[in-house]
Amino acid sequence: MAELLQALSEWPGAVALRRFEVAYLLVNAAHILSIGLILGAIVTLDLRVLGLLRQYPIGALGPPLSRVAAVGVVCAILTGFVLFTVRPLAYVQNTAFLVKITLVGLAVANALILQCNRHWRRALSGGEVHVTVRLSAFLSAILWGSAVVAGRWIGFL
């Protein structure tokens, strides 16, 4: 495993990020913007599902906000992976990094499970918001918020 991580740290992209601070800065900024897309879309949708912003139908908010969040997740994973390659051996030993990755995985799994939930489809079509959908929204807000905190924690360990 250590050999694979060392090889990853030597790929040209990682070398460029270490050598050119502006490149690292730009990838890091793209990562932060991606997280902003996720949080802006997901928290808005979670709040609506939890009963706030009732003037906006879930069916109108759900599909576009879910797509924006999905784009944010893909971009955050891609930019996060590139940032990871700069110091992979250090990151895999960083508790905060491991917590963040676990939280992101749980948050994505929660979103995928919600998409398969018949009660979510019913809520999108204007039906009642079932307790499982509300629970998923609550978990989503907690998991994504916690992932951000863990991400900030990485630099302090």
Side-chain angles (χ1 to χ4, degrees):
M1 179 67 137
E3 293 169 356
L4 175 64
L5 293 173
Q6 182 61 37
L8 192 57
S9 74
E10 294 170 3
W11 82 284
V15 172
L17 289 179
R18 283 192 301 274
R19 188 171 295 153
F20 304 106
E21 290 177 2
V22 171
Y24 186 90
L25 170 91
L26 293 173
V27 174
N28 195 33
H31 189 64
I32 292 167
L33 290 171
S34 300
I35 294 165
L37 280 178
I38 297 166
L39 290 180
I42 290 299
V43 170
T44 301
L45 185 55
D46 289 342
L47 290 175
R48 173 56 190 95
V49 169
L50 291 170
L52 299 171
L53 309 170
R54 289 183 186 264
Q55 66 270 32
Y56 303 104
I58 292 174
L61 290 177
L65 290 177
S66 294
R67 284 191 286 279
V68 168
V71 168
V73 168
V74 169
C75 291
I77 289 171
L78 292 174
T79 56
F81 178 75
V82 172
L83 293 170
F84 171 79
T85 65
V86 173
R87 296 180 42 222
L89 291 165
Y91 284 126
V92 298
Q93 296 174 14
N94 185 306
T95 302
F97 173 79
L98 299 174
V99 168
K100 175 186 174 179
I101 295 305
T102 300
L103 290 167
V104 168
L106 290 170
V108 169
N110 180 56
L112 293 173
I113 291 168
L114 177 65
Q115 293 297 316
C116 298
N117 185 327
R118 65 186 165 92
H119 298 296
W120 173 241
R121 290 188 295 280
R122 187 175 300 140
L124 285 173
S125 65
E128 176 188 346
V129 180
H130 192 267
V131 66
T132 59
V133 174
R134 290 186 197 280
L135 178 60
S136 180
F138 178 75
L139 284 173
S140 171
I142 297 297
L143 289 168
W144 286 113
S146 298
V148 169
V149 171
R152 294 300 307 139
W153 182 27
I154 291 170
F156 295 96
L157 294 183

